[in-house]
Amino acid sequence: MRVPDSPDSRFDPRDMAAQDEKPHDHEVEEVENGIHVERSIRVALILASATLAGAFGGAIAYGVGYLNRSHGLSAWRWLFIIEGAPSCASAILVWFLLPDYPETAGWLNAAELNLAKHRLRLEGSKSSAKTMSWSDAKTVLTDWRLYGHYAVCVLCLLS
């Protein structure tokens, strides 16, 4: 067990059983810092996959151009079928394989399960939460990071 208020303490999901229901401020900060690191890695992977999709999409479209009028379908229809089939197949798999709650995920160990529960308690939606107000929307829409993210996406698409 760690000392709760020591500056070098780290969030350990195994300690969750010994903690109160309400998280301490330093735990919230450490979990949020971990989420920000994870979020930046996820955004980087999404941008990298978008670049790869653009590279391979052009090559696939070139090849599909030779399928024009094959089996009575235009080339653009073949392109929709070839590029859309993996998305539809993965949607069906996700519907059946992605769990709704951490408790229903059989592949999580106890530490990961406790971490997921803790994050849901901090950031998950609550049925008693108030709806979004105009001031909340203004806060989101005036955040510089939103427009920085859009600028990076647009620059990647234009390059």
Side-chain angles (χ1 to χ4, degrees), residues 61-114:
Y62 176 77
V64 169
Y66 290 103
L67 290 176
N68 198 19
R69 297 294 169 209
S70 177
H71 298 285
L73 295 176
S74 301
W76 68 267
R77 291 179 186 230
W78 278 112
L79 188 61
F80 270 53
I81 292 168
I82 291 170
E83 290 188 352
S87 298
C88 293
S90 65
I92 293 168
L93 289 174
V94 164
W95 179 265
F96 290 107
L97 298 178
L98 191 67
D100 292 329
Y101 299 101
E103 294 84 7
T104 60
W107 64 85
L108 294 177
N109 62 32
E112 293 167 338
L113 180 66
N114 287 332

Side-chain angles (χ1 to χ4, degrees), residues 5 7 17 19 23 34 39 41 43 45 47 54 56-58 64 67 76 81 89 94 98-99 105 128 131 142:
D5 294 321
Q19 295 176 358
R39 186 178 300 140
I41 291 171
V43 168
L45 289 173
L47 292 176
F56 288 109
V64 169
L67 290 176
W76 68 267
I81 292 168
V94 164
L98 191 67
S128 62
T131 59
T142 56

Side-chain angles (χ1 to χ4, degrees), residues 3 14 27 33 38 46 52 54 62 74 109 145:
V3 179
R14 293 172 291 204
E27 291 170 347
N33 288 339
E38 291 173 8
I46 289 170
L52 287 173
Y62 176 77
S74 301
N109 62 32
R145 292 176 291 192

Side-chain angles (χ1 to χ4, degrees), residues 11-26:
F11 174 73
D12 187 357
R14 293 172 291 204
D15 293 340
M16 287 299 298
Q19 295 176 358
D20 322 319
E21 191 62 28
K22 184 178 180 205
H24 302 287
D25 288 338
H26 65 279

